[in-house]
């Protein structure tokens, strides 16, 4: 069995949004993209972060493969280069995933099925910013989580699959920023790992839409 097949099997059931949401329309412009949440007043306007303020990100290194901090920080840098979003590195923390948090930095951590019930076999990671703050009628993301499979990343690290590790982190951070899954295997937001390892045209278009929303006042 090739590495790619193993990877596809491991990560093939990526129902990884922190909060399941009804199907959203997929937009086709230059590639395909979809939003996790849209404003109640306009289904074409996505919910996302305020790109005029840095998004603080922290890492819990427990159960992480060697090099995890560089992996996450490189992915954040990649996203900064192709979007309007800016990240502030908040360092290492000991906090564990706690869905339901309403404020605080985006937490990246590594977890097992014992700790995170949705981290079932075959899920490479979970990601999302499910909690938003209403300001007038506009909703904003204020915190989020990326929870990565400790066993899957240990396997990828042992196999030297750096590109796939980076792709999964980018995919989950895409959820954090507000992107949903798309069917196209040309996009990193495709729900099954093992396809493209690079951000696609639709990913970039979706990130541009997210980053073009007005700033919070
Ligand atoms: Zn996903």
């Amino acid at each position: 069995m090739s590495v790619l097949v193993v990877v596809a099997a491991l990560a093939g059931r990526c129902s990884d949004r922190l909060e399941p949401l009804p199907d959203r329309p997929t937009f086709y412009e230059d590639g395909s993209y979809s939003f996790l949440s849209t404003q109640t007043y306009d289904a074409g306007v996505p919910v996302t972060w305020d790109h005029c303020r840095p998004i603080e990100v922290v890492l819990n290194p427990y159960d992480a493969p060697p090099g995890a901090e560089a992996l996450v920080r490189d992915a954040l840098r990649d996203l900064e280069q192709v979007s309007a979003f800016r990240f502030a590195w908040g360092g290492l923390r000991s906090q564990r995933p706690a869905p339901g948090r309403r404020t605080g930095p985006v937490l990246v951590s590594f977890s097992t099925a014992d700790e995170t019930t949705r981290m079932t076999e075959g899920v490479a990671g979970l990601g999302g910013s499910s909690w938003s703050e209403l300001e007038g009628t506009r909703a904003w993301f204020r915190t989020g989580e990326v929870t990565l499979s400790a066993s899957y990343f240990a396997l990828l690290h042992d196999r030297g699959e750096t590109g796939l590790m980076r792709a999964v982190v980018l995919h989950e951070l895409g959820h954090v920023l507000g992107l949903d899954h798309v069917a196209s295997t040309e996009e990193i937001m495709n729900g099954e790992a093992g396809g493209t390892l690079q951000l696609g045209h639709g990913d970039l278009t979706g990130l541009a839409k997210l980053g073009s929303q007005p700033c919070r006042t």
Side-chain angles (χ1 to χ4, degrees):
M1 184 180 289
S2 74
V3 170
L4 268 182
V5 171
V6 171
V7 165
L10 281 170
R13 292 182 289 112
C14 176
S15 175
D16 61 354
R17 296 168 298 197
L18 286 179
E19 298 289 335
L21 291 168
D23 284 344
R24 299 283 170 175
T26 298
F27 303 90
Y28 297 90
E29 214 161 272
D30 187 9
S32 58
Y33 60 95
S34 183
F35 299 127
L36 273 176
S37 306
T38 56
Q39 305 290 347
T40 54
Y41 59 85
D42 188 339
V45 178
V47 178
T48 187
W49 293 73
D50 177 6
H51 68 269
C52 299
R53 295 172 171 82
I55 302 168
E56 186 180 13
V57 180
V58 298
L59 170 69
N60 184 327
Y62 181 76
D63 261 353
E69 180 174 347
L71 177 73
V72 174
R73 296 186 74 169
D74 285 351
L76 295 173
R77 206 168 297 125
D78 288 346
L79 289 170
E80 285 185 331
Q81 288 176 352
V82 299
S83 77
F85 295 103
R86 295 293 173 265
F87 300 96
W89 185 246
L92 305 182
R93 301 280 177 89
S94 60
Q95 72 190 83
R96 301 303 298 166
R101 271 192 313 129
R102 299 192 67 83
T103 60
V106 173
L107 170 66
V108 180
S109 63
F110 292 79
S111 184
T112 62
D114 293 342
E115 179 179 34
T116 307
T117 54
R118 293 190 62 212
M119 188 63 71
T120 54
E121 185 182 351
V123 173
L126 306 165
S129 294
S130 305
W131 306 284
S132 55
E133 177 181 87
L134 279 175
E135 189 173 273
T137 56
R138 180 178 284 269
W140 301 94
F141 290 142
R142 294 298 306 277
T143 189
E145 292 191 348
V146 169
T147 310
L148 302 165
S149 167
S151 56
Y152 181 61
F153 272 74
L155 180 67
L156 293 184
H157 177 265
D158 288 348
R159 291 182 169 164
E161 293 269 9
T162 308
L164 185 53
M165 287 196 286
R166 173 180 166 277
V168 173
V169 173
L170 283 172
H171 175 103
E172 305 306 342
L173 288 170
H175 283 318
V176 167
L177 292 175
L179 293 179
D180 201 357
H181 288 157
V182 293
S184 170
T185 55
E186 302 295 309
E187 314 295 348
I188 219 161
M189 292 314 296
N190 180 268
E192 298 187 7
T196 182
L197 301 183
Q198 305 293 331
L199 291 160
H201 291 303
D203 299 317
L204 297 174
T205 306
L207 288 170
K209 296 279 182 190
L210 292 169
S212 65
Q213 302 305 309
C215 297
R216 290 176 63 209
T217 54

